[in-house]
């Protein structure tokens, strides 16, 4: 019995010692972190006006060249704060300063094995729009050990810099992203580079093709309407639908014959999209096509066709014609419903 008590006492002492050691370690660690945080905030106060003078008055200072980890972090945080509220030339100066003082430090971290450290640096390179690390990033893209998440941010960084190698990298790097992820890259691309990507469209994976089509519609790129119309002959349903949707978002159609072909499609989704695009582009002879679509077997197509009538100057008048003269009872009912909606919305003709 006495041996069991002694054993329990020993175990209790060991556990108490471990808990005390852990508590002491945590207290010391917290104290160190608080001390470092205080140093960082103090240095931020010291260089705050210096960075302001650099960004708004282009005045440089030795204080902007950090010589310790604390100073690196302080300047990094200040530049991050400024980058969220500053535009124009000041934004470009942030990028230049970040290239100058963070290049070597970030390049070193990007070579580390710790994934989270590499990701944090990539987000900072992206946020500061640094261009000095472009070649380093391209090498990482070709590295098999680079994760998909890293590759996505790298592509965003290169898009920020309008890097002309972007098209070739899209073709050569095995990193298939979703349409949404590709769109997050393309959203940073300016017109000149976007034009190059459209020229290389046929060489890209389908998800990137869909993203390009989407961005033309989202950004209302009128110059690429003919390109969109050419995609309406694609064998893939998703390509055709998204191209028609993008045309509707741009709000212009150069070839009205394609609408007629879509309106006769066997797929109700394409007939629906034809009705939408007619309303958004006010296509020539569109009302004649809508008079056919308002008799469609699909309720959704009929409803969209009736709605699109109201986008034309004489659309409500034509709806009255359908209401009183059509031989299709479903078309008459739909016309009546949208006539009432049009009048309620203050439509005049």
């Amino acid at each position: 019995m006495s041996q069991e008590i002694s054993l329990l006492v020993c175990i209790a002492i060991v556990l108490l010692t471990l808990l005390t050691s852990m508590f002491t370690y945590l207290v010391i660690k917290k104290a160190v972190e608080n001390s470092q945080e205080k140093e960082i905030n103090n240095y931020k106060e010291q260089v705050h006006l210096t960075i302001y003078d650099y960004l708004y008055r282009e005045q440089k200072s030795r204080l902007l060249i950090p010589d310790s980890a604390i100073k690196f972090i302080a300047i990094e945080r200040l530049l991050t704060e400024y980058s969220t509220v500053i535009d124009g030339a000041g934004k470009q100066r942030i990028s230049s300063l970040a290239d100058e003082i963070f290049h070597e430090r970030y390049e070193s971290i990007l070579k580390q094995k710790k994934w989270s450290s590499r990701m944090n640096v990539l987000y900072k390179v992206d946020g500061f729009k640094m261009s000095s690390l472009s070649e380093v990033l391209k090498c990482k893209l070709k590295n098999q050990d680079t994760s998909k998440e890293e590759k996505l941010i790298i592509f965003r960084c290169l898009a920020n810099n309008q890097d002309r190698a972007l098209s070739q990298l899209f073709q050569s790097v095995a990193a298939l992203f979703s349409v949404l992820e590709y769109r997050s890259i393309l959203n940073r691309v300016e017109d000149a580079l976007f034009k190059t990507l459209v020229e290389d469209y046929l060489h890209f994976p389908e998800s990137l093709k869909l993203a390009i089509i989407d961005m033309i519609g989202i950004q209302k790129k009128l110059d690429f309407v003919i390109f969109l119309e050419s995609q309406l002959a694609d064998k893939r349903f998703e390509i055709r639908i998204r191209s028609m949707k993008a045309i509707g978002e741009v709000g212009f159609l150069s070839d009205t014959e394609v609408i007629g072909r879509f309106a006769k499609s066997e797929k109700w989704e394409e007939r629906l999209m034809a009705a939408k695009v007619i309303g958004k582009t006010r296509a020539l002879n569109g009302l004649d096509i809508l008079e056919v679509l308002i008799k469609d077997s699909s309720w959704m197509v009929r409803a969209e066709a009736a709605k699109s009538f109201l986008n034309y100057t004489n659309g409500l008048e034509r709806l009255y014609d359908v209401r009183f003269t059509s031989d299709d009872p479903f078309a008459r009912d739909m016309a009546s419903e949208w006539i009432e909606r049009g009048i309620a919305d203050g439509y005049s003709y």
Side-chain angles (χ1 to χ4, degrees):
M1 191 70 177
S2 59
Q3 290 180 347
E4 292 177 356
I5 293 174
S6 298
L7 180 60
L8 289 172
V9 170
C10 290
I11 293 173
I13 292 172
V14 171
L15 290 174
L16 182 61
T17 303
L18 287 173
L19 290 172
T20 303
S21 300
M22 289 177 63
F23 178 75
T24 303
Y25 166 76
L26 291 174
V27 169
I28 294 173
K29 183 182 178 183
K30 186 64 178 177
V32 171
E33 289 176 352
N34 289 340
S35 176
Q36 290 179 340
E37 194 65 26
K38 186 176 180 180
E39 289 184 57
I40 291 170
N41 289 330
N42 287 339
Y43 195 72
K44 282 178 67 178
E45 288 295 324
Q46 290 180 42
V47 298
H48 178 76
L49 290 177
T50 304
I51 289 181
Y52 180 90
D53 288 338
Y54 169 75
L55 295 179
Y56 291 95
R57 300 171 186 169
E58 299 185 64
Q59 296 178 2
K60 285 194 172 183
S61 168
R62 290 182 181 179
L63 291 174
L64 297 179
I65 308 300
D67 54 10
S68 69
I70 295 294
K71 294 179 180 179
F72 264 109
I73 295 171
I75 294 176
E76 190 178 64
R77 288 185 184 178
L78 276 172
L79 290 182
T80 300
E81 292 169 7
Y82 270 111
S83 66
T84 60
V85 298
I86 195 172
D87 287 313
K91 198 97 170 180
Q92 182 57 49
R93 291 188 195 110
I94 289 177
S95 299
S96 300
L97 184 59
D99 278 325
E100 182 178 346
I101 63 181
F102 297 143
H103 177 99
E104 291 184 7
R105 180 181 177 86
Y106 285 177
E107 183 176 3
S108 174
I109 296 174
L110 287 172
K111 294 176 182 178
Q112 294 179 6
K113 292 184 178 181
K114 192 175 181 180
W115 181 83
S116 60
S117 297
R118 299 197 307 269
M119 286 291 289
N120 284 334
V121 163
L122 286 173
Y123 277 120
K124 289 170 184 174
V125 173
D126 183 28
F128 292 139
K129 294 187 177 181
M130 295 172 61
S131 59
S132 64
L133 288 166
S134 290
E135 294 307 314
V136 175
L137 297 181
K138 290 176 190 176
C139 290
K140 282 192 68 63
L141 274 180
K142 299 172 184 177
N143 189 329
Q144 294 182 347
D145 294 330
T146 303
S147 68
K148 177 187 172 183
E149 292 80 8
E150 290 175 280
K151 289 179 180 179
L152 177 59
I153 303 176
I154 290 173
F155 270 116
R156 289 174 181 171
C157 293
L158 297 176
N160 277 336
N161 299 330
Q162 309 306 312
D163 198 301
R164 291 189 171 274
L166 197 62
S167 179
Q168 188 274 328
L169 291 168
F170 275 143
Q171 300 172 54
S172 61
V173 175
L176 191 62
F177 303 122
S178 68
V179 175
L180 191 60
E181 288 169 333
Y182 274 124
R183 277 167 47 176
S184 73
I185 299 170
L186 297 177
N187 193 44
R188 301 152 185 259
V189 170
E190 295 176 1
D191 289 344
L193 181 54
F194 190 85
K195 183 179 179 181
T196 300
L197 296 176
V198 172
E199 291 171 354
D200 293 337
Y201 171 87
L202 293 176
H203 305 293
F204 296 145
E206 185 169 342
S207 52
L208 177 52
K209 290 179 178 179
L210 294 173
I212 289 173
I213 291 170
D214 287 352
M215 291 308 299
I216 293 174
I218 292 169
Q219 297 181 349
K220 301 186 186 305
K221 294 180 179 291
L222 185 60
D223 292 344
F224 297 98
V225 167
I226 293 177
F227 163 77
L228 291 176
E229 292 174 355
S230 70
Q231 301 311 307
L232 298 178
D234 197 288
K235 294 180 180 179
R236 287 160 293 188
F237 172 74
E238 190 67 20
I239 294 285
R240 298 197 305 270
I241 280 290
R242 292 213 186 207
S243 297
M244 186 63 86
K245 180 182 178 183
I247 290 172
E249 289 173 342
V250 173
F252 177 76
L253 188 67
S254 69
D255 182 6
T256 56
E257 290 184 8
V258 298
I259 292 292
R261 293 198 298 270
F262 257 66
K264 297 174 184 177
S265 171
E266 295 179 356
K267 296 182 179 295
W268 69 268
E269 296 94 340
E270 291 187 327
R271 300 196 302 274
L272 174 67
M273 193 57 65
K276 285 185 177 182
V277 171
I278 289 172
K280 290 183 176 181
T281 63
R282 299 179 184 179
L284 188 66
N285 301 323
L287 286 172
D288 295 334
I289 300 173
L290 292 178
E291 285 193 2
V292 175
L293 291 175
I294 202 173
K295 300 177 183 179
D296 198 88
S297 58
S298 167
W299 180 89
M300 293 183 67
V301 176
R302 294 199 304 273
E304 193 62 43
K307 177 182 177 182
S308 292
F309 268 98
L310 299 178
N311 289 325
Y312 285 83
T313 304
N314 60 333
L316 191 58
E317 183 179 357
R318 292 288 289 269
L319 268 181
Y320 272 110
D321 290 341
V322 173
R323 178 181 181 180
F324 293 114
T325 64
S326 176
D327 57 357
D328 187 312
F330 296 109
R332 293 197 301 269
D333 290 343
M334 190 61 72
S336 297
E337 179 182 341
W338 281 91
I339 286 171
E340 292 176 6
R341 292 194 187 190
I343 293 173
D345 291 340
Y347 183 96
S348 60
Y349 65 100

